[in-house]
Amino acid sequence: MNTAPALDPTHTALLVMDYQPAILAVVPEGDDRNALLGCVEGAIADVRANGGTIAYVRVGFTEADWDAIPASNKSFAPLAQHRVIHHKDPAAAIHERLAPQDGDIVVRKIRYGGMSTTDLDQQLRGRGITTLVVSGISTSGVVLSTVTDAADRDYQLYVLSDGVADPDTEVHNILLHRLFPSRAHIIDTTELRALLRAD
């Protein structure tokens, strides 16, 4: 039984992170990917319908961004070396099924976390957002980094269990069931719908 508190949509943002063709490639094509996109599509519609905020985070690099990545950065140096995920590349765009609308927040990042290299935190606070519902790919990348950072910034956090995915199932499960519950409420998209409408 989930005891997650109800959400006040006016102070809630759904984070849709790294839902880009280049990153979605880590999720097997077919039913898995379609189910994931369908869940996040539904969550976006529910949050919008209840007056909440949608905030998109995408990764994309400029030439200057690549040049500034030091060889010591184990995760990002190879991306810079191979000039991967240029910010104007169609593979770096937000997936068309989840496309942003006018009034949504959209930020571009150049590291794992959704807040570390963006003004996302300032934009959220400017709108009075105190609660985040987190979805993203991958669980061990952007989701882990952003949940940890946002918890330190005192946001109330929810992680969408059916809106996150990782190429490593074991790591995904450990994070979702062992680590994240100490920082966030773990809910699925059906529970999200109920919590948005609960008074």
Side-chain angles (χ1 to χ4, degrees):
M1 180 72 187
N2 202 315
T3 56
L7 291 156
D8 176 354
T10 58
H11 297 294
T12 299
L14 171 64
L15 301 188
V16 180
M17 303 189 294
D18 294 10
Y19 269 90
Q20 306 159 252
I23 314 288
L24 268 165
V26 305
V27 180
E29 274 194 77
D31 292 347
D32 286 356
R33 197 179 297 179
N34 278 330
L36 191 64
L37 285 165
C39 285
V40 177
E41 212 172 7
I44 290 169
D46 287 336
V47 172
R48 279 197 205 291
N50 285 278
T53 297
I54 313 295
Y56 294 87
V57 176
R58 71 181 191 103
V59 62
F61 301 92
T62 64
E63 293 284 340
D65 293 332
W66 282 324
D67 291 341
I69 296 171
S72 59
N73 188 318
K74 196 170 179 180
S75 297
F76 288 87
L79 298 181
Q81 183 184 348
H82 298 290
R83 296 309 210 225
V84 179
I85 318 183
H86 188 273
H87 73 109
K88 288 186 177 174
D89 187 323
I94 294 159
H95 194 280
E96 58 191 13
R97 282 178 61 180
L98 313 178
Q101 295 181 8
D102 289 345
D104 293 341
I105 294 171
V106 182
V107 298
R108 179 179 68 86
K109 69 187 176 87
I110 53 172
R111 293 294 187 272
Y112 280 121
M115 295 179 179
S116 66
T117 59
T118 71
D119 67 349
L120 178 61
D121 183 44
Q122 294 93 309
Q123 289 202 52
L124 292 168
R125 294 193 190 282
R127 297 187 186 205
I129 302 298
T130 55
T131 299
L132 303 178
V133 180
V134 180
S135 67
I137 305 166
S138 61
T139 318
S140 62
V142 66
V143 179
L144 173 61
S145 290
T146 306
V147 164
T148 302
D149 191 0
D152 282 350
R153 296 173 193 251
D154 298 328
Y155 284 96
Q156 182 173 36
L157 292 169
Y158 296 73
V159 173
L160 275 185
S161 59
D162 51 357
V164 297
D166 196 275
D168 188 323
T169 307
E170 186 180 0
V171 169
H172 170 81
N173 287 331
I174 288 170
L175 290 171
L176 208 52
H177 303 294
R178 303 286 293 278
L179 181 68
F180 290 163
S182 68
R183 296 171 172 86
H185 300 284
I186 312 301
I187 60 171
D188 63 19
T189 47
T190 303
E191 290 170 302
L192 172 64
R193 188 173 304 126
L195 290 170
L196 282 164
R197 293 175 184 164
D199 291 317

